[in-house]
Amino acid sequence: MRVNSESDMSAVPEILLGVNVDHIATLRQARGTDYPDPVAGALLAEQSGADSITVHLREDRRHIQDRDLPALQEAMATRMNLELAVTDEMISIAENLRPADGCFVPERREELTTEGGLEVAAQLARVTDGCVRLQEQGIRAALFIDPDPVQIDAARQAGAEVIELHTGAFADATSAASAELELDRIRQAAAHGTAIGLKVHAGHGLNTANVEAVAAIPEILELNIGHSIIAAAITCGLARAVADIKRLMQQARVPGTRRS
Ligand code: PXP
């Protein structure tokens, strides 16, 4: 088992980061251009420490497109985590693609993002069948669920290997007291999931202001983070992008220096 630092031999497993590149594609789709490219973004994320790359092929194809998936798989070096609805169409795509991980998520077309966890207990047969179909292709099966013991037990029954705990209620909490309450639910869920043999991941709504509280929970092995990273990338990169174009504009006024 790798540990967080040489001096820390307390056997707390290293925490991994999955970077969700969906919103690079959101920006591309807004203009119908071929940039920014989620594949190029994924490679940059990997070079910067991402341990896996997450993509969600939504039924309405609002960001990631079908063609992105093989391109990403061909180019990337880490594990691909494909988020998908529990539908025959999506499972068939996963079966053909065979990413390292497949994470079933609930999906409603009108939602802005994945607003809650998957209801596993109420559709156990369907989710079990989905997990079996992924596993038959060597894909690790994960379920994105609320930090709720009923859903965690159902995930175990469905045969999933991994649960990803939805941290949205914690991230959206409007007071310190409710954030603490939600964090406690996540802590208990992580301990319970681990105790019954599941690997526990977490994600949704995490950012530099709230990630530490979740990352400190020792049972959580991996966090999946997207929107805040892509948003921060725009802020970090804006100064450079403005300076680059301004320089080209000014250079174009000087005879003999134009590039095109
Ligand atoms: N994990 C899952 C299963 C998700 O559906 C999402 C959002 O697509 C995330 C993590 C990342 O959430 P965010 O974009 O808020 O960081």
Side-chain angles (χ1 to χ4, degrees), residues 20 22-23 56 83 103 105 113-114 144 164 203-206 224-228:
N20 180 319
D22 291 349
H23 296 301
H56 183 179
E83 293 177 2
C103 181
V105 299
T113 180
T114 313
F144 187 45
E164 180 174 336
H204 207 278
L206 298 178
N224 281 309
I225 307 179
H227 190 263
S228 74

Side-chain angles (χ1 to χ4, degrees), residues 44-65:
L44 273 175
E46 286 182 331
Q47 285 160 24
S48 308
D51 300 290
S52 64
I53 299 297
T54 296
V55 279
H56 183 179
L57 184 69
R58 292 188 77 103
E59 291 181 290
D60 63 9
R61 308 298 198 270
R62 68 174 72 160
H63 39 56
I64 294 296
Q65 305 297 301

Side-chain angles (χ1 to χ4, degrees), residues 173-191:
T174 51
S175 70
S178 57
E180 190 49 46
L181 214 70
E182 293 301 337
L183 192 59
D184 212 51
R185 286 181 72 206
I186 297 168
R187 285 193 194 104
Q188 288 181 27

Side-chain angles (χ1 to χ4, degrees), residues 60-146:
D60 63 9
R61 308 298 198 270
R62 68 174 72 160
H63 39 56
I64 294 296
Q65 305 297 301
D66 296 62
R67 68 176 188 277
D68 292 322
L69 300 177
L72 186 58
Q73 198 172 47
E74 167 80 18
M76 62 182 286
T78 61
R79 294 175 10 249
M80 182 194 286
N81 175 29
L82 177 68
E83 293 177 2
L84 68 165
V86 196
T87 62
D88 189 52
E89 181 204 7
M90 288 300 154
I91 297 171
S92 299
I93 289 171
E95 285 172 328
N96 285 328
L97 188 72
R98 301 172 79 186
D101 290 282
C103 181
F104 285 120
V105 299
E107 203 172 299
R108 286 188 298 119
R109 277 178 191 246
E110 66 276 18
E111 69 190 357
L112 288 178
T113 180
T114 313
E115 283 163 6
L118 185 69
E119 176 53 64
V120 183
Q123 47 171 351
L124 192 57
R126 184 161 167 230
V127 177
T128 304
D129 182 57
C131 289
V132 168
R133 284 180 63 183
L134 294 186
Q135 289 159 343
E136 279 175 356
Q137 298 306 320
I139 305 165
R140 189 169 66 159
L143 303 178
F144 187 45
I145 57 174
D146 288 328

